[in-house]
Amino acid sequence: MATDSALKVIFEHEGVFIHPNTEEEGTEPDLLVSGSLRILEKDAEVLVDFRPLEDPVDPSNMLCAGQDSSSVVEWAQCPKEKHQSHQLLETQQSYETEWDMLNAVSFRKRSSARGEGLLNHSLERSRWAFSVSVSDLRSITVKDEGWTFVILQQKEPSTSLPALHFHQGGSREFLDNLRRFALLTESPEDETCLEVSTPNRALSQSFENLLDDNSFGLIHKFRRDPYVATFGGLSKVTNYIYDALRGAEEQQQQRPPEEVADLLGEVIPGLEINQQEEPGFEVITRIDLGMRPQVTRREPLSADRWSKHLDMEGRVQDVDQLKHEVFKGGLCHAVRKELWKFLLGYFPWSSTSEERRCLQRVKIDEYFRMKLQWKSVSEEQERRNSRLRDFRSLIEKDVDRTDRTNWFYEGLNNPGLTLLHDILMTYCMYDFDLGYVQGMSDLLSPILYVMENEVDAFWCFVSFMDQMHQNFEEQMQGMKTQLIQLSTLLRLLDLTFWNYLESQESGYLYFCFRWLLIRFKRELSFQDVLRLWEVMWTGLPCQNFHLLICCSILDSEKQKIMEENFGFNEILKHINELSMKLNIEEILQKAEGLFHQIRSCKDLPHSISSILGLDTGHQRSDPTNAGAVAASQRAHLQNICSNGLGRENGSQNSGRPAFKS
């Protein structure tokens, strides 16, 4: 094979393991072969390539976790060893022993000498390395044993390939990248098996043919599970939906808009596109917005700067100024754990440190009472509760594939995954009407990562879900409204670009569906998601600022889309491939500039003012309203501290200072 320098690396992921058969001659028990899995492109051929690393892996040297029956404990040297480490990242004292399950998570690697007798690494490299053309693959089997492992089956079964074990995550990214070059369809006989079609076959297999077989048709999957299909299937949409809209017609001949709307309604259930103008929305013609002002970003808010916003009793001073600083620069990671609780509304801005401690004790109690509800359901009870059973099944499936490449969630029996599972199950008890919908784990994951605390993460997640609730409701009213509003904004900002998208049957901006559904979680790196969310949680500079962020991204991509004359298919593919390539600071800078440009417009349409809250003075503080909210929150806190703790925890709290009004 040619040297690596002659190849284009499409995908690369280290930490993929082969479990050699211990019955093979010369193979030691418990040996794992760690390697790098790549997808390579050379000329017209795409290859799946596995190369072992220099040293095989001794499983005794891997991370492992101790775990009790209710939650998780700190990672120790192995599950059977006595828990010895006492250095938690931030320990919160529990005031009731029956709730003393878990409040924080900590990780540490064990140090142990490498076992003797490992096979010579140079022999192992030649023994386990393989490279296979994607066109030679017949199927890919994806299974779960607490981690995901993948079995590649060739069309000519002369040589069997070893199973690839993704102990540290990455299987989803591998399959997503593979879908760029091959059609992977679920086998009608085996749901764990994905049949591989070559590109030529995939292109010739029309969308209408897929519709004929509801066992694995794309539309059927969207109807059955729109969220998973949206997350993992955008590349599939890229491959098929263009032909679905065009059918047997010439590509230059467009379907009527009504027919396109019907097809999109099929793809995204509940997303009915009204061909008439929405009530209350003007027809926007070209408006001169003037020059877009240049704006600058600042450094993240430091711990020292944050401490200066607190008075002697821990109250936050000058909330408006603080929010402005967060909006302009975000937060350094050291203060996120505390400040996110304020931004999300878990902590009232006017509360003292003591009042917040009172609130947390009550919330700990409330959380574990809800957690006990599902923990105490017997198997027999669950057999008669199909909704709870379905919620649990979806949660377990999603948790296993959420951010597994992040250190907080990677590896075997990771306590972070157990926390993720428990919080989502408890949320089902908190809001049983909604329960769990796929995609919610994406919203919880960054919050748990920052909080490192089960109870705090839950209540912050509850506050975030209060904002996002409509996105996950069955009728998807929130998604429909946001797509209409986004289209309205884009028409104002760039009518030429909007008309171009409309001419390519992309005017409904459905390719932004995933952006809106989980707030860019799959488009940005994990750290950039933290920065974006905390900026948006300030509520500045206007309502629906996330729609201007969408416009900012599209503004950066419009030149390429229009100059290269991208059609429907190419637009979908291009937007999908922006994932992990976006610069968050540039996006925020441009989005803020768009806001100032819109606000300075003298003849702003009422629909735009309504979307951004400009007609209600949203961008300005309302001292009267803020005072009323603060008074209400203070009364609530006083009730909690005087009634809740005085009744339930008087003995433990006798040494604490009395509540000050």
Side-chain angles (χ1 to χ4, degrees):
M1 190 174 73
T3 61
D4 286 353
S5 60
L7 300 174
K8 179 181 178 182
V9 179
I10 305 299
F11 167 84
E12 184 170 14
H13 182 68
E14 294 186 357
V16 179
F17 295 82
I18 290 176
H19 296 192
N21 188 344
T22 56
E23 296 180 358
E24 295 182 22
E25 182 178 356
T27 302
E28 293 200 2
D30 299 326
L31 178 66
L32 301 182
V33 178
S34 174
S36 174
L37 181 65
R38 299 188 295 175
I39 298 176
L40 308 171
E41 185 177 18
K42 184 178 185 297
D43 298 329
E45 188 174 21
V46 179
L47 306 170
V48 176
D49 181 83
F50 179 82
R51 287 290 178 271
L53 301 179
E54 289 296 327
D55 297 310
V57 175
D58 180 0
S60 65
N61 208 29
M62 296 182 68
L63 290 175
C64 48
Q67 190 168 331
D68 63 23
S69 61
S70 61
S71 191
V72 300
V73 295
E74 186 187 21
W75 280 31
Q77 289 189 339
C78 84
K80 297 181 181 179
E81 291 180 13
K82 182 179 179 181
H83 176 72
Q84 295 177 344
S85 175
H86 302 289
Q87 297 179 349
L88 295 176
L89 293 177
E90 184 172 312
T91 302
Q92 176 179 318
Q93 297 297 324
S94 175
Y95 72 98
E96 289 192 24
T97 56
E98 60 264 36
W99 299 145
D100 195 12
M101 299 179 183
L102 174 81
N103 289 317
V105 180
S106 181
F107 301 86
R108 64 185 177 86
K109 286 188 178 182
R110 62 168 299 201
S111 58
S112 66
R114 293 185 51 79
E116 297 180 359
L118 293 176
L119 297 176
N120 181 276
H121 62 263
S122 61
L123 293 177
E124 287 303 304
R125 285 176 62 82
S126 60
R127 182 175 184 181
W128 299 111
F130 69 82
S131 184
V132 59
S133 173
V134 172
S135 61
D136 291 334
L137 294 178
R138 178 189 301 276
S139 64
I140 301 175
T141 301
V142 183
K143 294 189 176 181
D144 185 357
E145 287 187 355
W147 64 87
T148 301
F149 68 93
V150 170
I151 302 172
L152 305 178
Q153 180 66 48
Q154 298 184 84
K155 294 176 181 176
E156 299 296 333
S158 56
T159 304
S160 61
L161 299 175
L164 301 172
H165 296 256
F166 291 80
H167 289 297
Q168 300 176 13
S171 61
R172 180 172 58 194
E173 290 80 1
F174 168 66
L175 294 174
D176 285 346
N177 278 274
L178 206 58
R179 287 187 176 98
R180 295 168 55 186
F181 306 98
L183 167 62
L184 307 183
T185 55
E186 185 179 304
S187 170
E189 293 80 20
D190 183 1
E191 63 178 10
T192 67
C193 180
L194 300 174
E195 297 176 346
V196 181
S197 301
T198 60
N200 290 338
R201 178 186 170 192
L203 290 174
S204 64
Q205 188 173 14
S206 70
F207 195 76
E208 286 78 11
N209 288 338
L210 289 176
L211 287 175
D212 290 339
D213 187 353
N214 278 339
S215 62
F216 61 95
L218 179 63
I219 292 296
H220 174 71
K221 289 184 177 180
F222 269 107
R223 284 173 173 162
R224 182 183 61 192
D225 199 339
Y227 298 96
V228 166
T230 300
F231 293 152
L234 228 121
S235 57
K236 303 188 190 78
V237 174
T238 300
N239 291 334
Y240 310 132
I241 200 169
Y242 188 67
D243 290 331
L245 296 174
R246 301 295 192 183
E249 302 173 286
E250 291 293 327
Q251 289 192 2
Q252 291 78 13
Q253 182 180 354
Q254 296 186 0
R255 291 179 182 263
E258 296 82 2
E259 191 170 348
V260 176
D262 291 340
L263 284 169
L264 290 176
E266 289 289 310
V267 171
I268 305 176
L271 187 61
E272 299 176 2
I273 305 298
N274 188 352
Q275 291 303 308
Q276 305 300 321
E277 291 297 326
E278 287 293 308
F281 283 71
E282 309 105 311
V283 176
I284 296 177
T285 56
R286 191 180 303 276
I287 296 175
D288 183 11
L289 295 175
M291 294 293 294
R292 185 181 306 164
Q294 293 295 318
V295 298
T296 57
R297 300 280 299 159
R298 299 177 186 172
E299 291 296 315
L301 182 74
S302 65
D304 180 63
R305 181 65 185 155
W306 160 239
S307 65
K308 293 178 181 178
H309 278 277
L310 300 174
D311 67 10
M312 296 295 293
E313 292 186 321
R315 290 188 185 87
V316 180
Q317 303 295 300
D318 200 349
V319 174
D320 289 342
Q321 175 61 28
L322 175 62
K323 287 183 178 181
H324 181 73
E325 291 182 37
V326 175
F327 172 76
K328 294 296 290 186
L331 302 170
C332 70
H333 193 71
V335 302
R336 280 182 172 137
K337 186 180 295 186
E338 188 173 6
L339 236 173
W340 275 25
K341 297 168 189 173
F342 290 95
L343 291 171
L344 282 166
Y346 175 34
F347 284 171
W349 290 102
S350 60
S351 61
T352 65
S353 298
E354 177 59 25
E355 289 168 352
R356 294 193 288 273
R357 283 192 288 270
C358 291
L359 176 64
Q360 283 184 301
R361 294 188 190 108
V362 172
K363 290 300 186 181
I364 288 171
D365 201 25
E366 187 177 350
Y367 172 78
F368 282 111
R369 290 186 192 282
M370 289 187 290
K371 182 174 181 177
L372 187 61
Q373 291 174 0
W374 65 266
K375 294 288 285 187
S376 59
V377 173
S378 66
E379 292 183 7
E380 183 178 354
Q381 286 177 297
E382 191 166 317
R383 281 197 296 269
R384 296 190 294 270
N385 191 332
S386 60
R387 289 202 70 196
L388 181 61
R389 194 167 60 245
D390 290 345
F391 289 156
R392 187 191 297 271
S393 175
L394 285 172
I395 289 170
E396 289 175 351
K397 185 184 300 183
D398 271 13
V399 162
D400 188 53
R401 57 193 181 192
T402 299
D403 292 323
R404 296 304 303 276
T405 56
N406 185 294
W407 68 268
F408 194 83
Y409 300 107
E410 69 182 1
L412 305 172
N413 298 320
N414 189 305
L417 297 179
T418 305
L419 286 181
L420 206 61
H421 170 275
D422 287 3
I423 293 172
L424 292 171
M425 283 296 298
T426 306
Y427 185 81
C428 292
M429 300 295 104
Y430 175 83
D431 187 349
F432 206 83
D433 286 341
L434 180 64
Y436 178 77
V437 180
Q438 286 173 314
M440 287 165 55
S441 62
D442 278 286
L443 299 185
L444 172 59
S445 169
I447 293 175
L448 178 58
Y449 169 85
V450 168
M451 294 299 151
E452 297 176 312
N453 178 292
E454 182 175 5
V455 177
D456 288 344
F458 173 81
W459 290 111
C460 287
F461 176 65
V462 165
S463 297
F464 194 19
M465 280 303 301
D466 288 344
Q467 303 174 28
M468 304 292 291
H469 200 280
Q470 281 194 322
N471 282 16
F472 297 95
E473 292 171 358
E474 187 175 357
Q475 299 303 316
M476 299 177 67
Q477 185 58 49
M479 293 303 301
K480 290 189 282 186
T481 299
Q482 288 174 86
L483 285 169
I484 291 169
Q485 291 175 335
L486 178 57
S487 181
T488 303
L489 283 170
L490 189 61
R491 275 190 290 177
L492 171 77
L493 290 167
D494 198 325
L495 187 59
T496 301
F497 181 46
W498 186 88
N499 284 332
Y500 176 83
L501 293 176
E502 183 76 1
S503 72
Q504 302 302 323
E505 297 172 345
S506 299
Y508 303 119
L509 308 181
Y510 43 81
F511 48 79
C512 299
F513 186 89
R514 189 173 67 183
W515 296 2
L516 301 172
L517 183 70
I518 51 173
R519 290 296 190 269
F520 309 94
K521 171 62 166 53
R522 300 287 181 90
E523 320 312 318
L524 302 169
S525 69
F526 198 84
Q527 293 301 319
D528 283 352
V529 169
L530 306 184
R531 174 58 42 80
L532 174 64
W533 285 6
E534 63 201 14
V535 167
M536 291 194 300
W537 290 338
T538 64
L540 298 175
C542 59
Q543 69 185 25
N544 287 318
F545 182 62
H546 66 286
L547 299 180
L548 291 180
I549 291 172
C550 293
C551 292
S552 170
I553 298 172
L554 294 175
D555 184 75
S556 298
E557 302 303 321
K558 68 178 181 181
Q559 183 176 355
K560 182 177 181 65
I561 290 173
M562 295 176 69
E563 285 185 354
E564 300 190 19
N565 198 30
F566 281 177
F568 183 95
N569 195 39
E570 291 83 7
I571 293 171
L572 280 170
K573 185 173 185 292
H574 178 70
I575 295 298
N576 191 41
E577 291 177 351
L578 292 178
S579 179
M580 303 302 157
K581 299 176 183 176
L582 300 171
N583 184 312
I584 186 58
E585 292 299 326
E586 290 180 3
I587 291 170
L588 288 171
Q589 190 172 3
K590 181 174 290 187
E592 185 183 354
L594 290 173
F595 163 74
H596 290 297
Q597 186 180 20
I598 291 173
R599 188 178 61 172
S600 64
C601 179
K602 295 180 180 179
D603 300 317
L604 196 64
H606 174 72
S607 58
I608 301 296
S609 298
S610 178
I611 291 170
L612 300 181
L614 301 181
D615 53 355
T616 59
H618 177 274
Q619 72 275 20
R620 298 180 181 89
S621 299
D622 183 349
T624 304
N625 183 60
V629 171
S632 175
Q633 291 175 334
R634 176 164 296 282
H636 179 62
L637 278 174
Q638 185 173 9
N639 182 61
I640 286 175
C641 291
S642 61
N643 296 331
L645 289 179
R647 175 173 52 82
E648 295 184 16
N649 197 38
S651 58
Q652 289 93 328
N653 207 33
S654 58
R656 298 182 182 274
F659 171 74
K660 298 180 180 179
S661 60

Short mmCIF file of all heavy atoms in Angstrom, two decimals, residues 172-207:
data_model
loop_
_atom_site.label_atom_id
_atom_site.label_comp_id
_atom_site.label_asym_id
_atom_site.label_seq_id
_atom_site.Cartn_x
_atom_site.Cartn_y
_atom_site.Cartn_z
N ARG A 172 -19.89 6.06 16.97
CA ARG A 172 -20.87 6.83 16.21
C ARG A 172 -20.18 7.71 15.18
O ARG A 172 -20.63 7.82 14.03
CB ARG A 172 -21.71 7.69 17.17
CG ARG A 172 -22.76 8.54 16.47
CD ARG A 172 -23.68 9.21 17.47
NE ARG A 172 -22.93 10.05 18.39
CZ ARG A 172 -23.41 10.54 19.52
NH1 ARG A 172 -24.64 10.25 19.87
NH2 ARG A 172 -22.68 11.31 20.30
N GLU A 173 -19.06 8.37 15.57
CA GLU A 173 -18.34 9.22 14.63
C GLU A 173 -17.77 8.39 13.48
O GLU A 173 -17.76 8.83 12.33
CB GLU A 173 -17.21 9.96 15.35
CG GLU A 173 -17.68 11.04 16.32
CD GLU A 173 -18.14 10.47 17.66
OE1 GLU A 173 -18.05 9.24 17.84
OE2 GLU A 173 -18.58 11.26 18.51
N PHE A 174 -17.30 7.17 13.80
CA PHE A 174 -16.77 6.28 12.76
C PHE A 174 -17.85 5.96 11.73
O PHE A 174 -17.64 6.08 10.52
CB PHE A 174 -16.24 5.00 13.41
CG PHE A 174 -15.94 3.90 12.43
CD1 PHE A 174 -14.91 4.02 11.50
CD2 PHE A 174 -16.68 2.73 12.44
CE1 PHE A 174 -14.64 3.00 10.60
CE2 PHE A 174 -16.42 1.71 11.55
CZ PHE A 174 -15.40 1.84 10.62
N LEU A 175 -19.03 5.57 12.22
CA LEU A 175 -20.12 5.21 11.31
C LEU A 175 -20.63 6.43 10.53
O LEU A 175 -20.96 6.32 9.34
CB LEU A 175 -21.26 4.56 12.09
CG LEU A 175 -20.95 3.20 12.72
CD1 LEU A 175 -22.10 2.74 13.60
CD2 LEU A 175 -20.66 2.16 11.65
N ASP A 176 -20.69 7.59 11.21
CA ASP A 176 -21.15 8.79 10.52
C ASP A 176 -20.22 9.15 9.37
O ASP A 176 -20.67 9.56 8.29
CB ASP A 176 -21.24 9.97 11.50
CG ASP A 176 -22.44 9.87 12.42
OD1 ASP A 176 -23.33 9.04 12.13
OD2 ASP A 176 -22.49 10.59 13.43
N ASN A 177 -18.91 9.03 9.59
CA ASN A 177 -17.96 9.32 8.52
C ASN A 177 -18.03 8.28 7.41
O ASN A 177 -17.86 8.61 6.23
CB ASN A 177 -16.53 9.40 9.09
CG ASN A 177 -16.22 10.74 9.70
OD1 ASN A 177 -15.82 11.68 9.01
ND2 ASN A 177 -16.40 10.85 11.01
N LEU A 178 -18.29 7.04 7.78
CA LEU A 178 -18.41 5.98 6.78
C LEU A 178 -19.62 6.23 5.88
O LEU A 178 -19.61 5.90 4.69
CB LEU A 178 -18.53 4.62 7.49
CG LEU A 178 -18.06 3.39 6.71
CD1 LEU A 178 -16.60 3.55 6.29
CD2 LEU A 178 -18.22 2.14 7.56
N ARG A 179 -20.67 6.81 6.47
CA ARG A 179 -21.89 7.09 5.68
C ARG A 179 -21.66 8.14 4.59
O ARG A 179 -22.49 8.28 3.69
CB ARG A 179 -23.01 7.56 6.61
CG ARG A 179 -23.59 6.45 7.46
CD ARG A 179 -24.81 6.93 8.24
NE ARG A 179 -25.43 5.85 8.99
CZ ARG A 179 -25.23 5.62 10.28
NH1 ARG A 179 -24.43 6.42 10.96
NH2 ARG A 179 -25.82 4.61 10.88
N ARG A 180 -20.58 8.86 4.67
CA ARG A 180 -20.26 9.81 3.61
C ARG A 180 -19.89 9.10 2.32
O ARG A 180 -19.95 9.69 1.24
CB ARG A 180 -19.13 10.73 4.05
CG ARG A 180 -19.47 11.64 5.23
CD ARG A 180 -18.24 12.33 5.81
NE ARG A 180 -17.50 13.06 4.81
CZ ARG A 180 -16.32 13.65 5.03
NH1 ARG A 180 -15.76 13.58 6.23
NH2 ARG A 180 -15.70 14.30 4.06
N PHE A 181 -19.50 7.83 2.42
CA PHE A 181 -19.01 7.11 1.25
C PHE A 181 -19.80 5.84 0.94
O PHE A 181 -19.57 5.21 -0.10
CB PHE A 181 -17.53 6.73 1.46
CG PHE A 181 -16.66 7.90 1.81
CD1 PHE A 181 -16.33 8.18 3.13
CD2 PHE A 181 -16.20 8.76 0.82
CE1 PHE A 181 -15.54 9.26 3.45
CE2 PHE A 181 -15.41 9.85 1.14
CZ PHE A 181 -15.08 10.11 2.46
N ALA A 182 -20.68 5.46 1.83
CA ALA A 182 -21.45 4.25 1.60
C ALA A 182 -22.82 4.39 2.25
O ALA A 182 -22.98 5.12 3.23
CB ALA A 182 -20.72 3.02 2.16
N LEU A 183 -23.77 3.67 1.72
CA LEU A 183 -25.11 3.63 2.28
C LEU A 183 -25.19 2.51 3.30
O LEU A 183 -24.93 1.35 2.99
CB LEU A 183 -26.13 3.40 1.15
CG LEU A 183 -27.55 3.02 1.57
CD1 LEU A 183 -28.16 4.16 2.38
CD2 LEU A 183 -28.40 2.74 0.33
N LEU A 184 -25.51 2.85 4.55
CA LEU A 184 -25.66 1.85 5.62
C LEU A 184 -27.14 1.77 5.97
O LEU A 184 -27.72 2.73 6.46
CB LEU A 184 -24.85 2.25 6.86
CG LEU A 184 -23.36 2.57 6.64
CD1 LEU A 184 -22.69 2.89 7.97
CD2 LEU A 184 -22.65 1.43 5.94
N THR A 185 -27.75 0.62 5.71
CA THR A 185 -29.17 0.44 5.99
C THR A 185 -29.37 -0.73 6.93
O THR A 185 -28.69 -1.76 6.83
CB THR A 185 -29.96 0.18 4.69
OG1 THR A 185 -29.38 -0.94 4.00
CG2 THR A 185 -29.96 1.39 3.80
N GLU A 186 -30.29 -0.56 7.85
CA GLU A 186 -30.56 -1.59 8.84
C GLU A 186 -31.13 -2.83 8.16
O GLU A 186 -32.05 -2.76 7.35
CB GLU A 186 -31.55 -1.05 9.87
CG GLU A 186 -31.82 -2.00 11.02
CD GLU A 186 -32.78 -1.38 12.02
OE1 GLU A 186 -32.48 -0.27 12.51
OE2 GLU A 186 -33.83 -1.99 12.28
N SER A 187 -30.59 -3.98 8.51
CA SER A 187 -31.06 -5.24 7.93
C SER A 187 -32.45 -5.56 8.44
O SER A 187 -32.73 -5.44 9.64
CB SER A 187 -30.09 -6.37 8.29
OG SER A 187 -30.65 -7.62 7.94
N PRO A 188 -33.36 -5.99 7.55
CA PRO A 188 -34.71 -6.36 8.00
C PRO A 188 -34.71 -7.54 8.97
O PRO A 188 -35.59 -7.66 9.81
CB PRO A 188 -35.44 -6.72 6.70
CG PRO A 188 -34.64 -6.08 5.61
CD PRO A 188 -33.22 -6.07 6.10
N GLU A 189 -33.71 -8.42 8.85
CA GLU A 189 -33.66 -9.60 9.71
C GLU A 189 -32.97 -9.35 11.04
O GLU A 189 -33.24 -10.04 12.03
CB GLU A 189 -32.93 -10.76 8.98
CG GLU A 189 -33.67 -11.31 7.78
CD GLU A 189 -33.48 -10.45 6.55
OE1 GLU A 189 -32.50 -9.67 6.52
OE2 GLU A 189 -34.31 -10.56 5.62
N ASP A 190 -32.04 -8.37 11.08
CA ASP A 190 -31.23 -8.17 12.28
C ASP A 190 -31.01 -6.67 12.47
O ASP A 190 -30.32 -6.03 11.68
CB ASP A 190 -29.89 -8.90 12.14
CG ASP A 190 -29.02 -8.78 13.39
OD1 ASP A 190 -29.47 -8.14 14.37
OD2 ASP A 190 -27.91 -9.32 13.38
N GLU A 191 -31.59 -6.11 13.54
CA GLU A 191 -31.49 -4.66 13.74
C GLU A 191 -30.10 -4.22 14.13
O GLU A 191 -29.79 -3.03 14.07
CB GLU A 191 -32.49 -4.22 14.81
CG GLU A 191 -32.23 -4.80 16.18
CD GLU A 191 -33.21 -4.30 17.22
OE1 GLU A 191 -34.21 -3.65 16.84
OE2 GLU A 191 -32.98 -4.57 18.42
N THR A 192 -29.24 -5.15 14.54
CA THR A 192 -27.86 -4.79 14.88
C THR A 192 -26.95 -4.78 13.66
O THR A 192 -25.78 -4.41 13.76
CB THR A 192 -27.28 -5.75 15.93
OG1 THR A 192 -27.13 -7.06 15.34
CG2 THR A 192 -28.18 -5.84 17.14
N CYS A 193 -27.48 -5.22 12.53
CA CYS A 193 -26.66 -5.36 11.32
C CYS A 193 -26.99 -4.25 10.33
O CYS A 193 -28.16 -4.03 9.99
CB CYS A 193 -26.90 -6.73 10.69
SG CYS A 193 -25.95 -7.02 9.17
N LEU A 194 -25.96 -3.55 9.86
CA LEU A 194 -26.11 -2.53 8.84
C LEU A 194 -25.55 -3.06 7.52
O LEU A 194 -24.38 -3.44 7.44
CB LEU A 194 -25.34 -1.25 9.24
CG LEU A 194 -25.77 -0.58 10.55
CD1 LEU A 194 -24.83 0.57 10.87
CD2 LEU A 194 -27.21 -0.09 10.46
N GLU A 195 -26.41 -3.13 6.51
CA GLU A 195 -25.97 -3.59 5.20
C GLU A 195 -25.28 -2.44 4.48
O GLU A 195 -25.74 -1.31 4.49
CB GLU A 195 -27.17 -4.08 4.40
CG GLU A 195 -27.85 -5.29 5.04
CD GLU A 195 -29.09 -5.72 4.28
OE1 GLU A 195 -29.56 -4.93 3.43
OE2 GLU A 195 -29.59 -6.83 4.54
N VAL A 196 -24.16 -2.75 3.84
CA VAL A 196 -23.33 -1.74 3.18
C VAL A 196 -23.58 -1.77 1.69
O VAL A 196 -23.49 -2.83 1.06
CB VAL A 196 -21.83 -1.97 3.48
CG1 VAL A 196 -20.98 -0.88 2.81
CG2 VAL A 196 -21.58 -2.01 4.97
N SER A 197 -23.92 -0.62 1.14
CA SER A 197 -24.09 -0.48 -0.31
C SER A 197 -23.01 0.46 -0.83
O SER A 197 -22.66 1.45 -0.18
CB SER A 197 -25.47 0.09 -0.65
OG SER A 197 -26.49 -0.74 -0.15
N THR A 198 -22.49 0.13 -2.00
CA THR A 198 -21.47 0.98 -2.61
C THR A 198 -22.12 2.28 -3.08
O THR A 198 -23.32 2.34 -3.29
CB THR A 198 -20.82 0.27 -3.80
OG1 THR A 198 -21.84 -0.03 -4.75
CG2 THR A 198 -20.15 -1.02 -3.35
N PRO A 199 -21.32 3.35 -3.28
CA PRO A 199 -21.90 4.63 -3.69
C PRO A 199 -22.75 4.56 -4.94
O PRO A 199 -23.80 5.15 -5.02
CB PRO A 199 -20.67 5.52 -3.89
CG PRO A 199 -19.64 4.92 -2.98
CD PRO A 199 -19.89 3.44 -2.99
N ASN A 200 -22.30 3.80 -5.94
CA ASN A 200 -23.07 3.72 -7.17
C ASN A 200 -24.44 3.12 -6.94
O ASN A 200 -25.45 3.57 -7.46
CB ASN A 200 -22.32 2.90 -8.21
CG ASN A 200 -21.09 3.63 -8.73
OD1 ASN A 200 -21.03 4.85 -8.64
ND2 ASN A 200 -20.12 2.88 -9.24
N ARG A 201 -24.46 2.08 -6.12
CA ARG A 201 -25.73 1.45 -5.82
C ARG A 201 -26.61 2.39 -5.00
O ARG A 201 -27.82 2.46 -5.18
CB ARG A 201 -25.49 0.14 -5.05
CG ARG A 201 -26.77 -0.56 -4.65
CD ARG A 201 -26.47 -1.76 -3.77
NE ARG A 201 -27.70 -2.30 -3.20
CZ ARG A 201 -27.72 -3.20 -2.23
NH1 ARG A 201 -26.60 -3.65 -1.73
NH2 ARG A 201 -28.87 -3.64 -1.76
N ALA A 202 -25.97 3.11 -4.09
CA ALA A 202 -26.75 4.03 -3.26
C ALA A 202 -27.41 5.11 -4.09
O ALA A 202 -28.55 5.50 -3.86
CB ALA A 202 -25.84 4.66 -2.20
N LEU A 203 -26.67 5.61 -5.08
CA LEU A 203 -27.24 6.67 -5.91
C LEU A 203 -28.38 6.16 -6.78
O LEU A 203 -29.33 6.87 -7.08
CB LEU A 203 -26.14 7.28 -6.78
CG LEU A 203 -25.10 8.11 -6.04
CD1 LEU A 203 -23.99 8.53 -6.98
CD2 LEU A 203 -25.74 9.32 -5.41
N SER A 204 -28.27 4.90 -7.20
CA SER A 204 -29.31 4.37 -8.07
C SER A 204 -30.53 3.92 -7.30
O SER A 204 -31.58 3.70 -7.88
CB SER A 204 -28.75 3.18 -8.87
OG SER A 204 -28.38 2.13 -7.98
N GLN A 205 -30.38 3.74 -5.99
CA GLN A 205 -31.51 3.30 -5.18
C GLN A 205 -32.33 4.52 -4.80
O GLN A 205 -31.95 5.29 -3.93
CB GLN A 205 -31.01 2.57 -3.92
CG GLN A 205 -32.12 1.92 -3.13
CD GLN A 205 -31.55 1.08 -2.01
OE1 GLN A 205 -30.38 1.21 -1.69
NE2 GLN A 205 -32.36 0.24 -1.42
N SER A 206 -33.43 4.73 -5.45
CA SER A 206 -34.18 5.97 -5.29
C SER A 206 -34.88 6.03 -3.96
O SER A 206 -35.09 5.02 -3.29
CB SER A 206 -35.21 6.11 -6.42
OG SER A 206 -36.25 5.15 -6.24
N PHE A 207 -35.25 7.23 -3.59
CA PHE A 207 -35.97 7.47 -2.34
C PHE A 207 -37.32 6.75 -2.35
O PHE A 207 -37.76 6.22 -1.34
CB PHE A 207 -36.18 8.98 -2.19
CG PHE A 207 -36.58 9.41 -0.84
CD1 PHE A 207 -35.65 9.46 0.18
CD2 PHE A 207 -37.88 9.78 -0.57
CE1 PHE A 207 -36.01 9.88 1.44
CE2 PHE A 207 -38.25 10.21 0.69
CZ PHE A 207 -37.31 10.25 1.70
#
